[in-house]
Amino acid sequence: KEHKEQRERYKENFSREYNQQQGDYNFDVPPTFSSSNPQPAQAKRFLRQAQEDLRAADNDYEAKEPAFEWVCFKAHQAAEKAFKAAQFSVDAVTSFSHDLVTLAASVEDMELRRLAQRLQGIVGNSSKLYNPDPIDFVVIPHEEYNREMACDAVMCATDILERVKEFLETRE
Protein backbone atom coordinates (compact mmCIF):
# COMPACT_ATOMS: atom_id res chain seq x y z
CA LYS A 1 0.00 0.00 0.00
CA GLU A 2 2.79 2.47 0.92
CA HIS A 3 4.63 1.70 -2.32
CA LYS A 4 1.46 2.37 -4.32
CA GLU A 5 0.98 5.74 -2.56
CA GLN A 6 4.60 6.72 -3.23
CA ARG A 7 4.23 5.75 -6.88
CA GLU A 8 1.08 7.89 -7.19
CA ARG A 9 2.79 10.89 -5.53
CA TYR A 10 5.72 10.44 -7.89
CA LYS A 11 3.44 10.39 -10.93
CA GLU A 12 1.68 13.55 -9.75
CA ASN A 13 4.95 15.38 -9.11
CA PHE A 14 6.46 14.16 -12.35
CA SER A 15 3.53 15.25 -14.50
CA ARG A 16 3.33 18.60 -12.70
CA GLU A 17 7.07 19.28 -13.15
CA TYR A 18 7.51 17.85 -16.65
CA ASN A 19 4.32 18.36 -18.59
CA GLN A 20 4.32 18.47 -22.37
CA GLN A 21 4.20 22.28 -22.62
CA GLN A 22 7.63 22.55 -20.99
CA GLY A 23 9.33 20.67 -23.78
CA ASP A 24 10.75 17.23 -24.24
CA TYR A 25 11.96 15.20 -21.33
CA ASN A 26 14.91 13.11 -22.52
CA PHE A 27 16.61 11.88 -19.37
CA ASP A 28 17.13 8.14 -19.03
CA VAL A 29 16.34 8.23 -15.31
CA PRO A 30 13.67 10.63 -14.12
CA PRO A 31 14.39 12.66 -10.99
CA THR A 32 13.02 11.71 -7.61
CA PHE A 33 10.65 14.04 -5.83
CA SER A 34 10.30 12.46 -2.42
CA SER A 35 13.57 11.29 -0.93
CA SER A 36 17.21 12.09 -0.56
CA ASN A 37 20.04 9.68 -1.22
CA PRO A 38 22.87 10.25 1.29
CA GLN A 39 26.26 8.88 0.26
CA PRO A 40 28.41 8.82 3.43
CA ALA A 41 31.24 6.80 1.84
CA GLN A 42 31.53 9.31 -1.01
CA ALA A 43 31.40 12.15 1.51
CA LYS A 44 34.35 10.64 3.39
CA ARG A 45 36.32 10.22 0.15
CA PHE A 46 35.78 13.86 -0.78
CA LEU A 47 36.79 15.00 2.70
CA ARG A 48 39.97 12.88 2.57
CA GLN A 49 40.92 14.46 -0.75
CA ALA A 50 40.14 17.91 0.65
CA GLN A 51 42.56 17.17 3.48
CA GLU A 52 45.24 16.16 0.97
CA ASP A 53 44.65 19.33 -1.07
CA LEU A 54 45.09 21.38 2.10
CA ARG A 55 48.30 19.47 2.93
CA ALA A 56 49.58 20.27 -0.56
CA ALA A 57 48.76 23.96 0.01
CA ASP A 58 50.77 23.87 3.23
CA ASN A 59 53.70 22.28 1.37
CA ASP A 60 53.59 25.00 -1.28
CA TYR A 61 53.39 27.73 1.36
CA GLU A 62 56.56 26.43 3.02
CA ALA A 63 58.46 26.04 -0.28
CA LYS A 64 61.74 27.87 -0.87
CA GLU A 65 60.10 29.90 -3.65
CA PRO A 66 56.36 29.73 -2.93
CA ALA A 67 53.77 30.46 -5.57
CA PHE A 68 51.04 31.98 -3.42
CA GLU A 69 48.44 31.78 -6.18
CA TRP A 70 48.77 27.98 -6.06
CA VAL A 71 48.52 27.96 -2.28
CA CYS A 72 45.27 29.93 -2.60
CA PHE A 73 44.06 27.68 -5.43
CA LYS A 74 44.68 24.55 -3.37
CA ALA A 75 42.98 26.08 -0.33
CA HIS A 76 39.99 26.86 -2.57
CA GLN A 77 40.01 23.30 -3.94
CA ALA A 78 40.15 21.87 -0.41
CA ALA A 79 37.17 23.98 0.65
CA GLU A 80 35.22 23.12 -2.51
CA LYS A 81 35.72 19.39 -1.94
CA ALA A 82 34.78 19.76 1.72
CA PHE A 83 31.51 21.46 0.78
CA LYS A 84 30.79 18.71 -1.73
CA ALA A 85 31.52 16.16 1.01
CA ALA A 86 28.86 17.86 3.12
CA GLN A 87 26.47 17.74 0.17
CA PHE A 88 27.14 14.01 -0.37
CA SER A 89 26.35 13.33 3.27
CA VAL A 90 22.89 14.77 2.66
CA ASP A 91 22.21 13.64 -0.92
CA ALA A 92 24.06 12.18 -3.90
CA VAL A 93 22.86 15.08 -6.03
CA THR A 94 25.65 17.61 -5.62
CA SER A 95 26.39 20.91 -7.28
CA PHE A 96 28.82 21.28 -10.15
CA SER A 97 29.53 24.83 -9.03
CA HIS A 98 32.99 26.02 -8.04
CA ASP A 99 31.55 29.02 -6.22
CA LEU A 100 32.13 28.49 -2.49
CA VAL A 101 29.20 30.65 -1.39
CA THR A 102 26.82 28.73 -3.65
CA LEU A 103 28.13 25.40 -2.38
CA ALA A 104 27.87 26.47 1.25
CA ALA A 105 24.29 27.65 0.73
CA SER A 106 23.21 24.04 0.22
CA VAL A 107 24.42 23.10 3.70
CA GLU A 108 22.29 24.06 6.68
CA ASP A 109 25.13 25.67 8.63
CA MET A 110 25.50 29.42 9.00
CA GLU A 111 29.14 29.20 10.13
CA LEU A 112 30.07 27.31 6.95
CA ARG A 113 28.34 29.99 4.90
CA ARG A 114 30.28 32.71 6.73
CA LEU A 115 33.57 30.86 6.17
CA ALA A 116 32.76 30.36 2.48
CA GLN A 117 32.18 34.09 2.07
CA ARG A 118 35.42 34.84 3.88
CA LEU A 119 37.52 32.46 1.76
CA GLN A 120 35.91 33.59 -1.47
CA GLY A 121 36.61 37.17 -0.42
CA ILE A 122 40.30 36.30 -0.08
CA VAL A 123 40.76 34.32 -3.29
CA GLY A 124 38.03 35.78 -5.51
CA ASN A 125 36.68 33.90 -8.49
CA SER A 126 38.35 30.48 -8.72
CA SER A 127 39.35 30.92 -12.38
CA LYS A 128 41.24 34.09 -11.40
CA LEU A 129 43.60 31.87 -9.40
CA TYR A 130 45.19 30.26 -12.45
CA ASN A 131 44.23 32.40 -15.46
CA PRO A 132 45.28 35.98 -16.09
CA ASP A 133 42.29 38.31 -15.82
CA PRO A 134 41.18 39.29 -19.35
CA ILE A 135 40.20 42.75 -18.07
CA ASP A 136 43.43 43.49 -16.20
CA PHE A 137 46.16 43.09 -18.81
CA VAL A 138 48.96 43.93 -16.38
CA VAL A 139 48.67 41.63 -13.38
CA ILE A 140 49.00 37.85 -13.59
CA PRO A 141 47.85 35.48 -10.80
CA HIS A 142 51.42 35.07 -9.53
CA GLU A 143 51.58 38.81 -8.86
CA GLU A 144 48.04 39.08 -7.48
CA TYR A 145 48.45 36.85 -4.41
CA ASN A 146 50.82 37.39 -1.49
CA ARG A 147 51.98 35.55 1.62
CA GLU A 148 49.30 37.08 3.86
CA MET A 149 46.49 36.15 1.45
CA ALA A 150 47.84 32.62 1.16
CA CYS A 151 48.10 32.28 4.93
CA ASP A 152 44.55 33.58 5.43
CA ALA A 153 43.22 31.26 2.70
CA VAL A 154 44.83 28.18 4.26
CA MET A 155 43.60 29.11 7.74
CA CYS A 156 40.06 29.66 6.47
CA ALA A 157 40.09 26.41 4.46
CA THR A 158 41.33 24.60 7.59
CA ASP A 159 38.35 25.98 9.52
CA ILE A 160 36.00 24.85 6.75
CA LEU A 161 37.41 21.31 6.74
CA GLU A 162 37.14 21.04 10.51
CA ARG A 163 33.56 22.28 10.47
CA VAL A 164 32.60 19.91 7.64
CA LYS A 165 34.23 17.01 9.49
CA GLU A 166 32.03 17.83 12.51
CA PHE A 167 29.02 18.11 10.19
CA LEU A 168 29.71 14.64 8.76
CA GLU A 169 30.16 13.14 12.23
CA THR A 170 26.72 14.39 13.29
CA ARG A 171 25.16 12.65 10.28
CA GLU A 172 26.64 9.21 11.01
Side-chain angles (χ1 to χ4, degrees):
K1 181 180 176 180
E2 182 180 341
H3 177 71
K4 184 178 180 183
E5 290 172 1
Q6 286 177 337
R7 191 174 62 221
E8 291 303 316
R9 278 196 315 270
Y10 178 86
K11 284 180 184 178
E12 285 176 29
N13 288 331
F14 185 85
S15 61
R16 183 175 56 244
E17 291 292 322
Y18 296 99
N19 62 31
Q20 295 293 41
Q21 285 98 13
Q22 291 181 348
D24 294 332
Y25 179 74
N26 294 325
F27 296 107
D28 292 332
V29 179
T32 181
F33 295 100
S34 61
S35 64
S36 62
N37 181 14
Q39 297 291 315
Q42 187 73 327
K44 289 176 184 174
R45 288 180 59 231
F46 265 71
L47 186 60
R48 281 196 339 258
Q49 186 58 53
Q51 291 164 335
E52 292 303 318
D53 290 353
L54 193 55
R55 190 174 62 77
D58 281 334
N59 288 341
D60 286 359
Y61 185 82
E62 298 298 330
K64 184 178 177 182
E65 294 181 31
F68 297 122
E69 75 276 20
W70 288 107
V71 174
C72 290
F73 176 76
K74 290 175 182 179
H76 182 280
Q77 287 293 293
E80 182 179 332
K81 288 176 183 127
F83 285 126
K84 289 183 180 184
Q87 288 179 339
F88 273 116
S89 75
V90 175
D91 195 358
V93 178
T94 61
S95 173
F96 292 107
S97 177
H98 302 292
D99 182 90
L100 300 179
V101 175
T102 300
L103 293 170
S106 68
V107 180
E108 300 280 329
D109 186 311
M110 292 307 292
E111 179 64 9
L112 281 173
R113 292 176 186 183
R114 186 188 67 73
L115 289 167
Q117 289 174 337
R118 183 168 169 248
L119 182 54
Q120 195 150 305
I122 295 166
V123 301
N125 182 317
S126 64
S127 68
K128 180 178 127 178
L129 290 162
Y130 52 85
N131 289 320
D133 189 335
I135 307 296
D136 184 352
F137 295 106
V138 179
V139 179
I140 61 172
H142 184 76
E143 298 162 344
E144 178 85 16
Y145 296 91
N146 59 42
R147 179 174 294 280
E148 182 181 349
M149 293 169 82
C151 180
D152 289 348
V154 168
M155 287 174 31
C156 190
T158 299
D159 291 345
I160 289 169
L161 268 66
E162 288 173 5
R163 185 81 177 190
V164 167
K165 184 179 178 190
E166 291 170 8
F167 180 82
L168 296 182
E169 288 169 353
T170 63
R171 300 197 56 82
E172 288 181 346

